[in-house]
Each structure stands twice: as C-alpha cells, then as structure tokens.
Amino acid sequence: MTPSNAAAPLPDSGQGTPNTAIDGQDLQGGGWSDRAYDALLTAFALCVPLLLVLLIVALTMAAWPALKQFGFGFLTSSDWDPAAEHFGAAPAIYGTIVSSVIALVIATPLAIGVAIFVAEFAPRWLRQPIGFLIDLLAAIPSVVYGLWGIFVLVPALRETVMPFLRDTLHLGATPFFSGPAYGPSMLAAGVVLAIMILPYISSVSREVLLAVPRSQREAALALGATRWEAIVGAVLPFARSGIIGGIILGLGRALGETMAVTMVIGNRHEIAASLFAPGYTIASLIANEFAEASGDMHLSALMAVGFVLFVITLLVNFVARWLVWQTSGGTRKVG
Amino acid sequence: MSGVSLTEQVVREPIPERPTGVGVPGTPGLIDASAFSFWYGKKQALYEITMGIQARSITAFIGPSGCGKSTFLRSINRLNELIPGTRHEGKIFLDDADIYARGTDVVALRQRTGMVFQRWNCFPKSIYENVAFGPRINGETDRAKLDEVVEGALRRAALWDEVKDRLRESAIGLSGGQQQRLCIARALANDPEVLLMDEPCSALDPIATQRIEELLVELKRELTIVIVTHNMQQAARVSDRTAFFFMGRLIEIGNTAELFTSPREAQTEAYITGRFG
Ligand SMILES: Nc1ncnc2c1ncn2[C@@H]1O[C@H](COP(=O)(O)OP(=O)(O)OP(=O)(O)O)[C@@H](O)[C@H]1O
Ligand SMILES: [Mg+2]
C-alpha cells in the first residue's frame, strides 16, 4: 500500500487566518457611500421592532383600565355586559382556542396528506395544477368564505353532518356532540377555518417535502424500504420541523381570522361544551362591538381582549420556535 | 424488458468468465450481468454489459466521468428504475436468480444488496436509529434483538468503539469519515450479501479513506463488494478485480494487478496511464 493518494487533501487549519484578515479589511474599507447605505439599512431594520414595541405599548395602555378593574376575572368570567359595565372574556378566549384547535385537527392531516400526494405520488404534470388550486384557496377573500359558510356549510352541517355525528355515530353520548343542531356553531367556525388554513399548511409542507434531498429517500429505499416506508421513515422526519412551521403558520391565521368566523360562529357569549352550540371568538367580538362601543370601559375591555389575543399568538409562536428547535437541533436526544 | 430468453443471449454473447467465487462453490453474492443495457429516456447509458462479479472479493469500477459506472451499480439493486422514463434490456443475476424477473421482490433484493453513497446520507436521527432503520422496516421490534444487531453492525463497520457511549446522539454530529462508516453499518445491519459503494471515499480525507479501505478488506471475507472509484490508486490498493468502463461499455475486466500492469485494450491503457479521462 502506497501512502500516495489522490483523495481530498487534509483541511489546512492555518488557512483560516488570511481569510479573516481579508474580511476585516472589507468591513473597514469602502467609501462613505457604503457606510451611508449601511446606516440606512440598519435604520430600516430597527424600524420594525420599534413599531412592534410601540404597538404593544399602545395596546397595553388602552387595555389597562379594563385589566385593572377586572383583574384575573377578565379571563375567567363569562359575563360580558356592556350595559352593566361588566366584562369577562372567557367565552371569547375559549372560542378562539377551540375553533382554532378544531381547524387544526381537521386541516393538518388533510393538508399533509395533500402535500405528500403532490410531492411524492402525483405524476409530474398533475403537481403544478393541484398545487396551484390549493394555493388559490388562500386567495379567496375571507368574506366569501363567510358567505359560503352561511349558505352552504351551515345548512349542510345542520341537516346532515351534525345528525350523523350525533345519532349515527352515537357521538351524542359525549358532551361535545350533543344537543340541538343550530347550524351557526363552533363546529361551523372550525370547519371554515380548516378550509382557510389548509392551503398554508399544505403549501409549506409541500415545499419542505420537495426540498428533502434525494439522497435521504435513496438511503431509505436502498435499505429495502417501500416507497411508503421511505416517506414515513425518512422523508417526513427530515421535513418535520418545516411541517411544524407550516402548522403554526396555519394556527396563527386561524387565531386571528375574523370575518368568516363572525359570519358562522353564532356570536354568543357562552361557553358550551357542545361543538354544535354557538360561540364567540376574540376577533369576532372586537369586530362586532368596536364600532358601537358604549363608553370608555367597553372600549378598554375590547382593547384588553385584543391584548389577550396578542399574547396568545405570541405564546403560540414561542412554542413553535421551541418545537422547531427541538426537532431540528443537534442536541436532540432520540427515544 | 426484453423478451429474449437467457439461453439465446448466452449463445449470442457468452459470459466470458463465469465467476467461480472465491472459496466454497455456491458462495452467496455472485453477480452476473448478461447483455445489460440501460436507457434514461432516449439516452442510452449502458450498452450490453456482460460481466461476472466474484463473491467475497472486491471489484472496482473505473472509467471517466459519465461512462455509466454509477448507472450499472445502481442497476444491481434496481435503484435506478425509480427514475421516471428509464428502461433496461438484458439481465442481471444475483445467485442464479434474475433480479429483473417478473415478480422479483425488490424490497428483499435491496436488503440483500446494501448500498453506500458518495455523499454520506445519514438520517437526521440518533446513531442507534440510523443503524436500526433496516431491521425495523424488516419488522424487527424486539428491543434486545435490535440492540444486538446494532452493536454487531457498528462493530463490523469498525465504529463501535467510537460511538458506543453516544448511541442516542444525533448522527449529524459525527465526522465525515464516521458518518460514512455509519452508513456502512446501516447497510450491514440488513446482513446483505453484497455491498455496492459509489465513490464512498471521494469526499473524505486520506486518513478516513484509509480506514474505510482497511474496513473493506476486512469485510470482503463475508461480502461481495463493488466499489466505484475515480482514484486509481484506491482501485489498485483494495480491489481484487477491476472493470474499466468507457462510454457506456465495459471495455475490460480482469485481475487488478494484470489490468493495471498489462491491460489488454488500448483504451484501458490510455486511461490508466492518464492519457484521457
Ligand atoms: N437521472 C439521469 N437522467 C438522465 N441521464 C442520466 C441520469 N443519470 C445519469 N445520466 C447519464 O447517464 C450517463 C452515465 O452516468 P453515470 O452517472 O452512470 O456515470 P458515472 O460513470 O457514474 O459518472 P461519474 O464518474 O461522474 O459519477 C451519463 O451520460 C449521464 O449524463
Ligand atoms: Mg457516478
């Protein structure tokens, strides 16, 4: 065996030094135009966080009277009575979360299924059209979804789906699917939201799946995985953090969606276990009452629910970052 | 697929060296190609490749870029047929069974023919889960058995001592050479008869390369190894037989020492003396 070898040379650790020197020179050198450009960009970049801070400050100040007066009870009380100047936002908070969760439960498997189909199974010529049609769902105005909800979805739920869930599947035995089928309901809001967020989850997932390197697929296939096993065992795990990102994006949309939800949720200040019953969300509460808010405390209470929504979305985003970090980080310990 | 039966083809173009296998006759891992051609769409990449690959030995594929080495290698585990628009003619036998015969269990075939790629492609999972991937999709769920298989495969890939205390850590944290040996371990966990390697060392430094080469010499006692390489010294160092490909054709195959010292074909000589390629 000869030591002579045409393979890649050993990385030379000494080579880092000249590179750094060149970089340093680049930063120091350059004319005043470079520096002006630099300063301008920095200013632009700082504008965005500044705006965010101002927004938080303004919102907090406006919400402060209500938060101070009702304290923790603002989050737990179900009593929203502008005439008596008593405000409790529990039903709206509950409705915001529940309708979004319903939407996620329905949309996530569908969206990921569609993404897997488009990225892995659809013939090449079908990929573009399907992707385009799904993306088009995101372009439909919210109010159109609301109209569709009122005229198509709500009657269909009332006549067919709700009786089917309650009686045929005997889910009526649980509190969640019992009681009369009104039509406008938490379920209707959840379903509309599901359709609205589906394109977000699905597009992100599709892009992420398509970006999984071919070598990962081939590694699994060469080990004797079937196509499906390669997807479940190699492609999806590789894409996991990206897909979670897509789901969170969808959740963010669902939490803040206003128009379509307002049109189908029934707008009632009440926490009902049954998904067939009407409910409320923070966004629809604000939209419904802001224009005719009676008095300062009412206005402040609306600001306060807005503040709560803001906090919820912030939390969701932090959890999302943490999840993405968890699933992609090198520090991960696997089962 | 061609409708021509094997006997006709053998008559037309007899397999020149029906491999005898090193050692016991009937050693598993014999590969025979018979007039095997391959197309990517309209472009023909392989022209009637006929060769025998001996069991329990290392066969190197050399030749200039684009001559079809990878294509032929990836035809042995039928990985190429996943590319849309490809087709083939001719046959490839693994232990007397035509791997392209109708009804061939491709999953089983790929388990018998492990593959190691140019760029190590570990899964972004733990070291343990990487190695356990093959046995798991094989349906192995027993934890103790899996532990045993994983340890065995890592030992055979000469990686066990380096990773035994960090089996739960992500494979991505390993060095390039370690990741490539992990990929070898992952393939070995299926207990294959054949190991197909496509330029496994081309992205590694000389020390990592040497470790892999030593490993291959160790592994050939139990396996048929086929290695594609651009590194002529590597072919000369590790392989028992060398096949020279040129423009989709097999120009020459023979004992490595003979092929490098006294090639039969002018094209082979031109290539190994560096006059082209
Ligand atoms: N997916 C593909 N689609 C179309 N043509 C391909 C494809 N893969 C390879 N080819 C063509 O087939 C021929 C053989 O390619 P192959 O990858 O087998 O060469 P190779 O000998 O492995 O080359 P290298 O040494 O560069 O890896 C080349 O002309 C190449 O352009
Ligand atoms: Mg190649």
Side-chain angles (χ1 to χ4, degrees), chain B residues 139-216:
Chain B
E140 184 60 68
T141 50
D142 180 40
R143 194 65 203 217
K145 189 83 210 309
L146 273 177
D147 287 349
E148 197 181 301
V149 171
V150 168
E151 176 172 345
L154 285 169
R155 278 189 192 282
R156 287 176 77 191
L159 192 60
W160 174 253
D161 291 330
E162 288 159 66
V163 302
K164 62 172 185 280
D165 300 321
R166 46 196 285 209
L167 292 176
R168 297 283 152 208
E169 281 170 39
S170 172
I172 308 304
L174 297 174
S175 76
Q178 288 174 324
Q179 289 199 37
Q180 193 59 299
R181 274 179 285 145
L182 181 61
C183 290
I184 294 174
R186 187 174 63 180
L188 292 178
N190 272 339
D191 201 15
E193 298 160 31
V194 177
L195 197 55
L196 307 170
M197 312 182 94
D198 197 345
E199 301 182 40
C201 302
S202 62
L204 296 178
D205 64 59
I207 293 176
T209 300
Q210 196 190 344
R211 297 213 59 171
I212 302 240
E213 287 176 3
E214 286 164 4
L215 175 60
L216 294 189

Side-chain angles (χ1 to χ4, degrees), chain B residues 7-16 34-35 47-50:
Chain B
T7 36
E8 279 168 330
Q9 282 184 345
V10 170
V11 168
R12 194 178 44 142
E13 187 170 350
I15 298 173
S34 163
Y47 296 83
E48 307 207 357
I49 305 289
T50 295

Side-chain angles (χ1 to χ4, degrees), chain A residues 2-10, chain B residues 199 201-207 209-210 213 229-235 237 271:
Chain A
T2 54
S4 82
N5 196 317
L10 270 174
Chain B
E199 301 182 40
C201 302
S202 62
L204 296 178
D205 64 59
I207 293 176
T209 300
Q210 196 190 344
E213 287 176 3
T229 178
H230 274 285
N231 181 337
M232 230 91 65
Q233 288 96 326
Q234 181 171 60
R237 275 196 303 268
Y271 182 72

Side-chain angles (χ1 to χ4, degrees), chain A residues 214, chain B residues 40 43 45 63-72 83 118 198-199 228 230:
Chain A
R214 206 176 73 166
Chain B
Y40 293 103
K43 181 183 168 15
S65 198
C67 66
K69 307 179 296 290
S70 300
T71 303
F72 184 60
I83 299 170
Q118 174 170 13
D198 197 345
E199 301 182 40
V228 173
H230 274 285

Side-chain angles (χ1 to χ4, degrees), chain A residues 7 9 34 101 190 228:
Chain A
D34 264 13
V101 168
W228 184 246

Side-chain angles (χ1 to χ4, degrees), chain A residues 215-216 218 223-224 233 332, chain B residues 74 107 110 121-122 124-125 190:
Chain A
S215 65
Q216 290 281 318
E218 287 190 338
L223 287 167
R332 182 166 52 114
Chain B
R74 292 159 55 92
V107 164
R110 296 201 183 121
N121 52 0
C122 302
K125 305 178 181 210
N190 272 339

